[in-house]
Amino acid sequence: MNELIVSSVLRLLALLSSSNKGEDALLTKKYVENYLVSSYGKSIGKEKHIDFIQYLAQYAELTNRQQSINKLLDLINEQYLLKDRLRIYITLLNFIRYTWNFKSGFFIEGKRYTKDIDAIGAGLRISESDRLSIKQFVFNELYRIEAKSNLLLIGEKAPTIEGIKFHRKEGLKGLITILYVANGSLMLLQYKGRAMLEINRKIVFPNQLYTITPGTYIAAPGLKPIYYGELLALVLEQNEDSAITLIVKNLEFTFINSTQGIHNLSFTCHTGEMVAIMGDSGVGKSTLLNILAGLNKKYQGTIQWNGYDYKTENSRLRDLMGFITQEDSLIEDLSVYENIYFSSRLSLGNIPEKELQQLVEMKLVEMGLFDIKHLTVGSPTNKIISGGQRKRLSIAIELMREPKVLFVDEPTSGLSSADSEKVMNILKTLTLQGILIFVNIHQPSSEIFKLFDKLLVLDQGGLPIFYGNPLAGILHFKNAGNWVDKKESVCESCGNVKPEIIFDIIAEKKVNEFGEPLDSRKIAPKLFHELHLKENQEQQVIQDTTIIPDAKFTSTSHFSQFKLFFSREILARTKSREFLLFSLSVPLLLSIIIATVSKKFIFLSNGEPSYSFYHNQNIPPFFFMAVIACMFIGMIISADAIFRNKKTQTRETYVKLSPRSYLRSKVVFFLLLSAIQTLIFTIVGVWVLQIHHLFFILWAVLFSIASFGNIAGLLISANFKSIAGIYLAIPFLFLPQILLSGVVVNFDQLYYRLTSQKVVPVIGDIMASRWAYEAIVVTQFTKNPYEAPLLASEMEESRLRNGLLYLIPLINQSTEQLKLVVPSERATNHNYKVLLNAMEELNANTAEIYIPILPPNNTDNATLEALAREVDKYNGALSRQYNRCIAGKERIMELQMKTFGGADGYITFRNRYQNTAIVDLVRNRGTSEGVRVAGETVTVTADPIFRNPPSTSGRAQLYAPYKRIGSTTISTFGFNTAIIWIMFLIGYLSLIYYSSLTFIVKHIHKYAQFKWRKE
């Protein structure tokens, strides 16, 4: 017992006895001395008796004894839990019982004491029903105890008292009486009989009161020990309708290409037990926990829950289970209350909102978290609440679902000894509520070890080497190791247990003749396993199916889950100042920097700087950097979004919440965030660079490319297992978007196997940056108010000019060179094929006039001369058409000038809406060649913005004015934006169904391995 509690008892006894004089005073001192010596041993008893004499002397001259008692009670209430106050009350009653046994007639005087002690019990705020039950138990008035369900009798013959549970124990000469005090989780024991009964190897005296605590066991010669957990189970006697029995028989699991796993494991456990799984690192503790929790179904053997096979009933049984991982699955940016609220709201779909809030508040009070409910949880590296509080919060989240079975992985890892004991005491309390708990634990302290009802020890290779009561386990391994104290499991003087003894015995090494330890163990794992099988020969009978308790709660619908996930995401993100600052400041700062750097000024004749959108050569680089920056922001800000909450997602998937609803909420959140970020970027860029008429187009494209970045980032986050891997993957996805966009390296300058002469190469078509940049540039040129009225005329002008300046001279040149070739070889000559391709290109550019294609079987000189004459006539007709086109364009420009009040107004209008660098870019004025001959392919390179796309499948040259799908033409802005969103959709489907994709890839890989091995 705690020394402070003993001190409080002695003070109270001294106050109660302070009025005794003469012989009564001497007798009281003697009785107290005898009681202390019998309860705590001679040494401690004598020491405490001296303290009692000092207290008596201190209180001898008191005038107001009751006032002093009340002050002491107030002090006790401030410092002690109810369970400790109950112990004080029980000890006082036990003293009266002790003195009653020693002095006949003392109990007449003792009635005064009982009256005083009743008052003390009330002052200690112990309920009247508990005080009455304890007093009636102490004085053997069992028939008067109302709550007979808290009583248990153990013996050979059942007593005549009705309504009290009885457990038959053959060979027990006498009767053990147990009272369970629920409010303090205490058990009281009395024994009547002549057998040599022991509690933790200390003799039990008849008619004395003993407190039973975790780690206690009762033994007698010739009887199997009765352990604390067994007594508790007998007293509480679970309702069969809600009870769970687990039977594991011949469980086998082996890792691929290994002998490691779990082997020949059999055991049985029941509701209300807490089972420890112990063993050295790598023996399979976590593997076994995952199998029992239903996370790994690739085992052989039998696992039955109430007689139902685990594999076939896994989904139904999972509703009754909870899993607490070693690393807490908490949302770091939410408060304690918000973490438990959102988790509960998602899992408990059939509970009204008000009732749920009340349940959450009650659970926070129960777990001792109510006072910190508004504190943010924080991360393990940036702690706001302690490790013990984090663990209790994780437990509280699981308990809201009221599971019947709870799996806990290393609950004390990283916690202080005090926090570890708090957490484990909470778990032990849960077993009293009818929960079966499995705990994977490494090396528990003495107090924690004594809390367990069953212990399962695994050795190297996953071999079970013990299953049973933890204290029996100590004896088992001491016997196996042939230790001197092999009959002692608990220290007689302090009551402590040393669980590390188990591992010391297991790891004990053989020694050579020089006393040096060898590598091999004294007792090999197989020998330990055989010893375990020998001592546990009880055959496990496959259980008949019984009722599986129904899950009390049901999850919300998938749509409701999506809304809750989305609300949680918004709340968590908005509460993170760092995230908000980064999310809103980065697009703002990048836009300011890029736009400011890109704002080129010209200097007037007077030396004054002047800005003109028309003369700014940096507008194309600004558009490109805007695309790259927005895609980068979208990717980097979402790259850890799934990874950072992966533990939470794993737990929520385990409790059968929809992972797709979770992922959809992430996608929608980042889409909204990207819409805001790109809006900020666009507003700043448009304002700084004075980009008119393009606001919506620019924002729409930047939002589209940022959304693509979002989905790419989320895919990375979902598939990589480390933050380092995530941030290393980003450059590999991002850099090709810069290099292969057609801006840094022209598509016609790529490695020849990658390039394409007529259209953008495939490697460019799969780059989202190319589609975004082209959409902005082409739309700025074709849709600006200055260019729009002239576009049709300039397209016609460009086609005619390309024919006159580039294609017709190429045809004439090829014809002349072909004349120099022997007639019989002309049809296969390079120049002949170039000539044909040039004629096809010319006909495609000028559909109104058509040149007949030269037949391959007729390439004599006369035919070539006739072709030259046709080309000359065609050249004349083309020139006349070109002149008419120029005249038409000039008329349009004259009308525009009148509209804007003359040439100066028209130039001002042009300078406001058109940009010369954009014009040069889309008209390809940076190259001197207007037509390119690559091999036999002829391609006009001048004015791509004015040329028809050569393909009807949507593919086109870079900066094409529109795209063609069959006979339908689609604006470049509309088509390119649609392509980006198709890419987004592919990424979205891969994200939502990535587990299916992973499944397919994994099985393809397995099939390939099988084929390779077979060959």
Side-chain angles (χ1 to χ4, degrees), residues 430-469:
L430 297 177
T431 62
L432 306 182
Q433 301 171 13
I435 300 178
L436 171 59
I437 300 179
F438 290 89
V439 180
N440 180 356
I441 195 163
H442 192 58
Q443 283 196 347
S445 67
S446 170
E447 292 303 314
I448 291 174
F449 188 75
K450 289 189 289 186
L451 293 174
F452 292 107
D453 301 295
K454 295 288 177 63
L455 170 65
L456 172 62
V457 183
L458 297 177
D459 203 352
Q460 294 173 7
L463 291 171
I465 58 175
F466 178 78
Y467 179 72
N469 184 273

Side-chain angles (χ1 to χ4, degrees), residues 280-462:
D280 207 353
S281 299
V283 298
K285 300 189 300 294
S286 295
T287 301
L288 176 59
L289 206 66
N290 287 335
I291 290 173
L292 296 178
L295 297 174
N296 185 343
K297 302 177 188 176
K298 298 177 181 178
Y299 62 85
Q300 288 79 45
T302 302
I303 298 179
Q304 284 189 337
W305 298 91
N306 285 11
Y308 289 90
D309 183 72
Y310 199 14
K311 286 184 179 179
T312 57
E313 296 289 338
N314 183 275
S315 178
R316 180 182 173 192
L317 289 165
R318 282 260 295 276
D319 290 334
L320 306 174
M321 296 179 182
F323 197 114
I324 300 172
T325 56
Q326 180 177 350
E327 296 177 348
D328 303 317
S329 54
L330 305 173
I331 308 293
E332 297 169 359
D333 296 315
L334 295 182
S335 69
V336 170
Y337 178 88
E338 289 160 349
N339 263 279
I340 191 170
Y341 169 78
F342 276 105
S343 177
S344 303
R345 183 71 282 172
L346 286 161
S347 301
L348 315 182
N350 55 344
I351 291 186
E353 180 67 19
K354 189 173 181 180
E355 184 182 342
L356 177 67
Q357 292 175 5
Q358 290 173 346
L359 285 173
V360 171
E361 299 272 352
M362 289 168 59
K363 190 59 68 178
L364 289 171
V365 171
E366 181 184 331
M367 291 291 162
L369 299 170
F370 187 80
D371 292 338
I372 62 163
K373 68 175 183 176
H374 295 305
L375 287 182
T376 302
V377 167
S379 66
T381 55
N382 181 27
K383 290 185 178 179
I384 297 175
I385 64 174
S386 71
Q389 289 167 333
R390 292 174 68 90
K391 190 61 68 177
R392 280 183 275 151
L393 177 57
S394 295
I395 294 172
I397 287 172
E398 286 301 324
L399 293 184
M400 289 299 295
R401 295 174 51 248
E402 297 188 13
K404 296 296 181 183
V405 185
L406 190 60
F407 301 95
V408 190
D409 192 8
E410 295 285 0
T412 60
S413 177
L415 301 185
S416 66
S417 57
D419 280 334
S420 296
E421 287 191 20
K422 282 182 184 176
V423 168
M424 294 307 300
N425 276 311
I426 287 172
L427 292 175
K428 182 60 185 175
T429 303
L430 297 177
T431 62
L432 306 182
Q433 301 171 13
I435 300 178
L436 171 59
I437 300 179
F438 290 89
V439 180
N440 180 356
I441 195 163
H442 192 58
Q443 283 196 347
S445 67
S446 170
E447 292 303 314
I448 291 174
F449 188 75
K450 289 189 289 186
L451 293 174
F452 292 107
D453 301 295
K454 295 288 177 63
L455 170 65
L456 172 62
V457 183
L458 297 177
D459 203 352
Q460 294 173 7

Side-chain angles (χ1 to χ4, degrees), residues 542-591:
I542 300 301
Q543 183 185 6
D544 293 332
T545 56
T546 57
I547 297 172
I548 292 181
D550 292 326
K552 190 172 181 180
F553 305 109
T554 58
S555 302
T556 55
S557 67
H558 285 195
F559 182 67
S560 296
Q561 287 180 39
F562 163 76
K563 291 191 295 183
L564 284 165
F565 282 133
F566 182 66
S567 301
R568 186 178 72 179
E569 186 74 17
I570 289 179
L571 183 61
R573 296 294 186 171
T574 52
K575 290 185 72 172
S576 172
R577 293 181 181 178
E578 184 179 326
F579 180 82
L580 281 178
L581 181 65
F582 179 84
S583 300
L584 300 179
S585 63
V586 167
L588 177 65
L589 292 173
L590 281 179
S591 187

